């Protein structure tokens, strides 16, 4: 971001105890502004931290006499890195004044470990493909990293555009759509972040995501009332917001019931409905295999289509690991439901490994937009 002289970086140090503020402030004091939040006001959720920075951004824009219509707010986590030339790919898409926000695809940077590779397949395979499909309806879901929003779009919302929802990014998505803004993406750029290296923090992260997603369902009537949204956009948002309730929770039960019934049919005396011949048994085994792994194989193929550095056979083989992601989702979604029923809304920050990275030389930094 600092390569482009038109950009300004506002770092919200939300009560950190690892020297984040001092490190960020030493990079370029003229263009990096560090806002420090201390306890008890700090660590109350990402939404509050973003709103704190939002107030200062509006002050800067007013002081410099800038047009909010031409100012973009890019939300990045501390571990986020934009791909080379990302700004040059993003800025032209905002020439359409109907576009209020853009979300970049996410890649996992430390994908050398198996658990992080599974997360990369999930993010850069199936999730990225779904997001690009939403470009047609203008309903791309904003994320917490690599999120670009037009300042005038944020100002069209409440005084504090980011809510206290556990998924403040999805909540913002709904708010913008309800006010007739289009949300888009691009396959020509992405943002990288650290993957979660241990299973327990990963389940905690996904539980928070699912809980926020599930509670956002109450805002669906706002989408239905938005007259400027096309029928396709309303259907897409409705389908997306109901995923935990109508897909993940029911499928976590039906998947195991179906797999068990097929297994019993295969292993039963005379192979039941499949008969006793070798071809019939082969068909039974194939059906059982497809029931278990077809969604995973699809994820592997989509990952191959996007990450061309991974061969098709390797990607299909790795796709089988996506079934592990499915079980993480099942567990996290049921835990989220339990927390909702118990009225628990605590915000758990994702714990990451903490990379030690060398500074990026100016010559190797992302290209400035044309």
């Amino acid at each position: 971001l600092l390569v482009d002289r038109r950009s300004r970086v506002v770092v919200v140090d939300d009560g950190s105890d690892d020297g984040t503020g001092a490190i960020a402030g030493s990079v370029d004091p003229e263009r990096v502004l560090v806002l420090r939040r201390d306890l008890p006001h700090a660590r109350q959720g990402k939404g509050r931290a973003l709103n704190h920075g939002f107030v200062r951004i509006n002050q800067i824009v007013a002081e410099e006499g800038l047009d909010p219509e031409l100012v973009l707010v890019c939300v990045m986590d501390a571990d986020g890195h934009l791909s080379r030339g990302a700004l040059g790919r993003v800025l032209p898409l905002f020439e359409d004044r109907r576009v209020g926000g853009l979300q970049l695809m996410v890649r996992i940077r430390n994908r050398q470990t198996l658990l992080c590779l599974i997360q990369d397949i999930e993010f850069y395979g199936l999730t990225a493909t779904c997001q690009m499909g939403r470009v047609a309806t203008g309903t791309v879901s904003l994320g917490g990293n690599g999120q670009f929003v037009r300042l005038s779009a944020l100002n069209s919302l409440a005084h504090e555009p980011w809510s206290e929802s556990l998924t403040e990014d999805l909540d913002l998505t709904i708010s913008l759509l309800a006010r007739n803004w289009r949300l888009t993406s691009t396959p020509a750029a992405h943002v990288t972040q650290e993957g979660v290296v241990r299973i327990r923090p990963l389940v905690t992260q996904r539980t928070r995501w699912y809980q926020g997603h599930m509670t956002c369902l109450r805002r669906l009537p706002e989408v239905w009332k938005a007259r400027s949204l096309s029928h396709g956009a309303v259907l897409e948002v409705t389908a997306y917001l109901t995923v935990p309730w109508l897909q993940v929770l029911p499928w976590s039960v039906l998947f195991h019931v179906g797999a068990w019934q097929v297994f019993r049919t295969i292993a039963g005396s005379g192979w039941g409905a499949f008969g006793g011949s070798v071809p019939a048994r082969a068909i039974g085994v194939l059906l059982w295999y497809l029931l278990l792994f077809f969604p995973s194989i699809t994820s592997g193929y989509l990952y191959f289509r996007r990450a061309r550095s991974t061969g098709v056979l390797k990607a299909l083989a790795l796709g089988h690991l996506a079934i592990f992601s499915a079980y993480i989702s099942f567990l996290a979604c049921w835990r989220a439901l339990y927390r909702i029923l118990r009225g628990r809304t605590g915000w758990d920050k994702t714990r990451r490994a903490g990379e030690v990275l060398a500074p990026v030389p100016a010559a190797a930094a992302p290209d400035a937009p044309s």
Side-chain angles (χ1 to χ4, degrees):
L1 288 173
L2 286 176
V3 173
D4 190 327
R5 300 302 302 179
R6 295 171 294 178
S7 67
R8 186 78 60 86
V9 176
V10 177
V11 178
V12 181
D13 182 357
D14 197 32
S16 67
D17 52 12
D18 58 1
T20 294
I23 295 173
S26 65
V27 175
D28 186 344
E30 292 186 2
R31 298 175 58 212
V32 177
L33 174 64
V34 179
L35 303 180
R36 173 74 181 183
R37 285 166 56 85
D38 295 305
L39 295 173
H41 303 291
R43 303 184 184 182
Q44 295 183 359
K46 187 174 180 179
R48 290 198 177 186
L50 289 172
N51 288 327
H52 186 72
F54 171 70
V55 172
R56 186 67 183 100
I57 289 172
N58 265 320
Q59 292 174 350
I60 295 173
V61 169
E63 291 169 1
E64 300 187 5
L66 302 176
D67 182 358
E69 186 83 8
L70 303 179
V71 175
L72 298 184
V73 177
C74 174
V75 177
M76 298 282 291
D77 288 338
D79 64 333
H81 293 176
L82 294 178
S83 60
R84 183 182 297 273
L87 292 181
R89 303 293 186 176
V90 167
L91 297 182
L93 297 177
F94 282 90
E95 292 178 2
D96 182 350
R97 295 301 177 94
R98 299 173 301 169
V99 173
L102 177 146
Q103 177 59 46
L104 292 180
M105 302 300 103
V106 176
R107 291 221 67 178
I108 299 299
R109 196 162 52 248
N110 54 332
R111 52 185 179 273
Q112 296 79 14
T113 65
L114 185 59
L115 184 60
C116 291
L117 178 59
I118 292 173
Q119 294 168 65
D120 192 50
I121 294 172
E122 177 186 9
F123 282 124
Y124 206 58
L126 184 60
T127 299
T129 302
C130 291
Q131 285 279 69
M132 292 308 304
R134 295 179 182 133
V135 170
T137 54
T139 57
V140 173
S141 182
L142 299 178
N145 206 5
Q147 169 194 133
F148 291 80
V149 188
R150 194 186 298 271
L151 182 59
S152 59
L154 292 174
N155 286 333
S156 71
L157 306 180
H159 175 65
E160 296 185 334
W162 284 280
S163 71
E164 295 185 19
S165 168
L166 294 177
T167 48
E168 82 295 327
D169 41 17
L170 178 56
D171 213 49
L172 178 64
T173 299
I174 298 171
S175 296
L176 291 171
L177 291 175
R179 287 161 179 78
N180 308 323
W181 292 99
R182 289 185 59 85
L183 305 176
T184 190
S185 185
T186 173
H190 63 268
V191 60
T192 66
Q193 65 185 41
E194 285 186 65
V196 184
V197 298
R198 294 189 296 116
I199 293 179
R200 179 171 291 183
L202 180 61
V203 173
T204 299
Q205 178 196 65
R206 300 308 169 86
T207 299
R208 173 166 57 86
W209 289 358
Y210 269 111
Q211 185 175 353
H213 194 141
M214 294 164 81
T215 55
C216 277
L217 185 67
R218 69 181 185 276
R219 302 197 59 196
L220 194 52
E222 296 178 48
V223 176
W224 293 341
K225 294 177 182 177
R227 296 184 178 276
S228 67
L229 290 180
S230 66
H231 296 317
V234 172
L235 287 174
E236 195 285 318
V237 176
T238 300
Y240 181 60
L241 291 181
T242 57
V243 163
W245 298 103
L246 300 184
Q247 294 187 39
V248 180
L249 290 177
W251 181 242
S252 68
V253 177
L254 295 175
F255 171 79
H256 293 92
V257 171
W260 174 245
Q261 289 298 328
V262 174
F263 176 78
R264 287 185 61 188
T265 301
I266 294 173
S269 175
W271 290 70
F274 296 110
S277 66
V278 173
R281 295 182 182 187
I283 291 174
V285 171
L286 178 61
L287 288 174
W288 188 65
Y289 170 77
L290 290 177
L291 177 64
L292 287 175
F293 291 107
F294 182 75
S296 301
I297 296 172
T298 302
S299 294
Y301 178 72
L302 294 174
Y303 184 69
F304 157 73
R305 294 283 298 177
R306 293 190 58 79
R308 290 293 188 172
S309 58
T310 303
V312 61
L313 294 180
K314 181 179 179 181
L316 290 176
L318 290 173
H320 288 70
L321 299 175
I323 197 169
F324 178 79
S325 297
Y327 275 100
I328 293 292
S329 294
F330 295 159
L331 176 59
C333 199
W334 281 105
R335 289 184 75 230
L337 179 60
Y338 175 77
R339 286 174 56 87
I340 291 173
L341 295 176
R342 293 291 302 273
R344 298 173 59 184
T345 59
W347 194 85
D348 296 314
K349 184 178 180 179
T350 302
R351 297 181 181 179
R352 304 189 187 274
E355 297 173 295
V356 178
L357 301 174
V360 179
D367 302 329
S370 56

